Amino acid sequence: MSTPGRGIGPGGTGIRLHAPAPGWSLDADVVVVGSGVAGLTAALRCAAAGRRTVVVTKARLDDGSTRWAQGGIAAALGEGDTPEQHRDDTLVAGAGLCDEAAVRLLVTEGPDAVRRLIATGAVFDTSAATGEIELTREGGHHRRRIAHAGGDATGAEISRALVEAVHAAGIETVENALVLDLLQDAEGRTAGVTLHVMGEGQHDGVGAVHAPAVILATGGMGQVFSATTNPPVSTGDGVALALRAGAEVSDLEFVQFHPTVLFLGADAEGQQPLVSEAVRGEGAYLIDADGVRFMTGQHELAELAPRDIVAKGIMRRMQEQGAAHMYLDARHFGAAMWEQRFPTILAACRAHGIDPVTEPIPVAPAAHYASGGVRTDLHGRTTVPGLYACGEVACTGVHGANRLASNSLLEGLVFAERIADDITAQARTGTGPGIPVPATGPLQPAGARYEVQRIMTDGAGVLRSAASLRRAALALEELYATALNDLEAHGKTAEPGVDTWEATNLLCVARVLVAAAERRVETRGCHWREDHPDRDDAAWRRHLVVRLSATERRALVVTPTESADFPSVRVPLDPPNPPSLEK
């Protein structure tokens, strides 16, 4: 039942997006923002415990990043495999920055979480001979532990099962809705979200969902770069919302570039077709234009090394040969294996005029996954009371400096369950009204989206340096300062709308990413500094935590932790005189 709009506006930094006042509202116990594996798992578990749950999603329920996942979900399900072995592979991939407690939790709770996913209705590929789940390998894994569905359509199958379960449970959903800002009460506690619904339906325009618990499961921010495997909706909305609400983010400099993305030309922009790591897991290998394998000898696992190592190997070979791409050779699979095991990838390649049955596939790295995000504890709680985060938008400490292949779906699953359990273990509470706060941050014009992408691709892509990052930082700051000056001097800002809200969110996360990447003067995991090519554990085996300054809305405060341990979200991070950098 809709109720008149209450006072809106978050506490925290006192910043919110320019937007019309909500014209409609809903009341709930929990609002979940996002409809991938993390969001829908959390919603189903909260609803099953009797909490009135509303799911808000930016497109249709099945249009998030989850359905694009090809490879699978990693868990110690096979004979001879153990959670300890999965833990060790995860820690190696994370390059010294994983939170070991979070990793232990992931690998020990993971197998049962996958079994519960199967009980929900997800159907994984099984062996015709044994009936057991068929497992494959991907980069960084020493054992076959990747469960897959439909050959290379695992994400689509998981999404199908969860969407059907949500419909069957009667959970209220609001589709085609871009979340805007967090509602907070006078004490800074979560009181819901504001959102804008696009198109026709029961709700249209700006509205609000009032709830004492908000779960951010908004996915990634790959659209901050020109070429990415992420869908168009991945514009960093959750991270930007959390920052405006006063939350902390961490490890945003660690953006994983998938090594094998179908190369469509040097000027290709937007979402690019992924060639799953599972193709290499089944025996495909990387070659240059002369047919020479170049990953052998670079790592004990060759093409199945962790993704950062393979991406660097490809980039080095490209630099050495002045080439725009390398090749992935799987011609030896034969037509039958391609058609049965990788039908989605086969169709994508053929749609672009490439037949992997008879020719090598041109590939190059592209932005794929954000290992960092909104900082949480082991229950998914952020530094803002009542605000939770899970999936790619979160930084749980599991991934460290580089995500191990196929750990992302598992992380979303495990931490979504833990969030739901934390919420339902608490007494049911109502919400106070949000405190009205005027919009203070400027909106970017819609065209700024492409400018941000150009700046980030040129200055903060796979290869970074002090010079490239400084250029990027100055260019991003100029975009922000121009809009801020227009607002403060002339009271002008871009017209509120989906394009300008997304551009503003992209600029926000881009500034944070570049500030952290500038500060981290080493190469670690998927953060590759050409001017500092070595890993420096003495100085940099620590996290960078970023927040927006509460006193000056232009400032980013970057604070290093004292060690690789993830600090508690319930204890103030900063010592009395923290070493910080405001930008």
Side-chain angles (χ1 to χ4, degrees):
M1 182 88 181
S2 294
T3 58
R6 301 179 191 163
I8 62 162
T13 62
I15 303 172
R16 69 171 178 86
L17 293 172
H18 285 262
W24 55 271
S25 69
L26 299 172
D27 288 314
D29 298 319
V30 183
V31 56
V32 179
V33 187
S35 60
V37 62
L40 296 188
T41 297
L44 285 165
R45 203 167 176 95
C46 287
R51 299 300 172 97
R52 182 183 176 190
T53 304
V54 173
V55 175
V56 172
T57 188
K58 195 172 180 181
R60 306 293 292 178
L61 276 183
D62 62 352
D63 276 347
S65 292
T66 290
R67 79 179 182 96
W68 296 99
Q70 295 173 344
I73 185 167
L77 297 166
E79 184 177 353
D81 197 5
T82 64
E84 290 71 28
Q85 293 176 70
H86 189 184
R87 175 202 64 199
D88 291 346
D89 285 345
T90 300
L91 293 176
V92 168
L97 280 188
C98 295
D99 183 275
E100 292 198 30
V103 174
R104 280 196 304 273
L105 185 155
L106 178 83
V107 300
T108 55
E109 295 187 7
D112 283 343
V114 172
R115 295 183 185 103
R116 285 189 289 273
L117 180 62
I118 293 170
T120 301
V123 179
F124 291 94
D125 295 340
T126 56
S127 166
T130 67
E132 297 294 321
I133 293 177
E134 206 169 51
L135 302 173
T136 189
R137 277 183 69 194
E138 291 186 4
H141 293 272
H142 282 79
R143 283 192 174 272
R144 287 183 170 265
R145 65 168 66 97
I146 315 300
H148 52 84
D152 58 358
T154 310
E157 170 58 18
I158 290 173
S159 181
R160 178 206 62 78
L162 291 174
V163 168
E164 288 186 7
V166 164
H167 286 319
I171 295 173
E172 184 166 7
T173 61
V174 183
E175 296 182 307
N176 300 308
L178 170 64
V179 68
L180 299 176
D181 280 303
L182 190 72
L183 297 171
Q184 291 171 270
D185 65 18
E187 285 73 44
R189 293 188 298 263
T190 293
V193 292
T194 55
L195 64 158
H196 172 76
V197 181
M198 300 165 271
E200 297 179 1
Q202 182 178 359
H203 302 294
D204 196 6
V206 174
V209 181
H210 300 286
V214 170
I215 303 173
L216 293 179
T218 52
M221 55 182 195
Q223 291 291 327
V224 79
F225 294 97
S226 297
T228 177
T229 63
N230 288 193
V233 294
S234 298
T235 52
D237 308 317
V239 171
L241 173 150
L243 280 164
R244 288 193 297 269
E248 295 171 346
V249 303
S250 188
D251 297 351
L252 223 60
E253 67 270 34
F254 297 116
V255 176
Q256 187 177 83
F257 286 76
H258 198 287
T260 53
V261 175
L262 185 61
F263 181 76
L264 300 180
D267 297 326
E269 295 181 343
Q271 186 178 8
Q272 311 291 301
L274 176 67
V275 182
S276 170
E277 199 154 292
V279 178
R280 282 175 278 139
E282 296 293 351
Y285 47 84
L286 289 160
I287 58 173
D288 60 22
D290 297 321
V292 177
R293 288 182 69 178
F294 54 86
M295 284 305 300
T296 52
Q298 293 199 37
H299 190 277
E300 59 165 336
L301 296 176
E303 282 89 358
L304 284 177
R307 288 179 177 174
D308 63 310
I309 293 171
V310 179
K312 291 170 187 174
I314 291 173
M315 291 298 296
R316 286 193 186 100
R317 196 66 157 196
M318 286 165 55
Q319 287 180 321
E320 290 168 3
Q321 299 189 341
H325 62 84
M326 290 287 109
Y327 294 92
L328 184 66
D329 193 351
R331 289 174 288 182
H332 54 285
F333 284 7
M337 181 173 174
W338 267 110
E339 290 165 2
Q340 295 167 16
R341 180 67 178 86
F342 300 110
T344 307
I345 299 169
L346 178 63
C349 288
R350 285 177 170 170
H352 291 283
I354 299 153
D355 188 351
V357 177
T358 60
E359 60 186 314
I361 305 167
V363 294
H368 182 57
Y369 190 88
S371 294
V374 184
R375 193 168 71 86
T376 75
D377 66 7
L378 298 182
H379 297 280
R381 295 175 293 206
T382 74
T383 48
V384 175
L387 179 64
Y388 296 79
C390 56
E392 191 173 353
V393 71
C395 184
T396 63
V398 159
H399 304 307
N402 183 47
R403 174 178 66 97
L404 181 65
S406 288
N407 266 359
S408 52
L409 292 175
L410 188 71
E411 183 202 30
L413 193 63
V414 167
F415 281 86
E417 291 187 344
R418 292 183 68 83
I419 287 172
D421 291 348
D422 189 70
I423 290 172
T424 57
Q426 301 172 30
R428 194 188 303 258
T429 60
T431 60
I435 304 303
V437 175
T440 53
L443 289 179
Q444 292 294 314
R449 176 184 186 128
Y450 306 103
E451 188 66 12
V452 168
Q453 291 173 337
R454 182 193 63 77
I455 292 166
M456 293 297 289
T457 299
D458 291 345
V462 180
L463 296 176
R464 303 167 178 176
S465 67
S468 75
L469 290 167
R470 182 89 302 250
R471 287 196 306 271
L474 291 173
L476 294 172
E477 186 60 29
E478 183 177 358
L479 285 178
Y480 183 83
T482 298
L484 183 65
N485 290 338
D486 282 347
L487 177 65
E488 293 183 336
H490 310 293
K492 297 194 313 184
T493 190
E495 186 71 21
V498 173
D499 290 346
T500 57
W501 290 321
E502 286 186 332
T504 302
N505 287 337
L506 283 170
L507 178 60
C508 176
V509 297
R511 291 177 67 221
V512 174
L513 192 162
V514 169
E518 265 198 296
R519 187 74 179 270
R520 184 174 291 279
V521 287
E522 64 159 354
T523 290
R524 180 185 298 272
C526 49
H527 172 67
W528 187 6
R529 288 282 297 260
E530 291 181 282
D531 51 340
H532 293 278
D534 299 320
R535 174 169 152 176
D536 183 357
D537 279 349
W540 286 108
R541 192 162 178 251
R542 62 191 69 232
H543 302 275
L544 290 171
V545 178
V546 185
R547 67 180 188 274
L548 292 182
S549 170
T551 56
E552 184 187 348
R553 61 187 177 277
R554 185 186 298 211
L556 301 175
V557 181
V558 185
T559 306
T561 60
E562 295 182 356
S563 71
D565 295 334
F566 235 36
S568 167
V569 301
R570 292 303 178 205
V571 177
L573 173 72
D574 298 333
N577 295 294
S580 65
L581 175 68
E582 295 205 8
K583 299 192 70 64

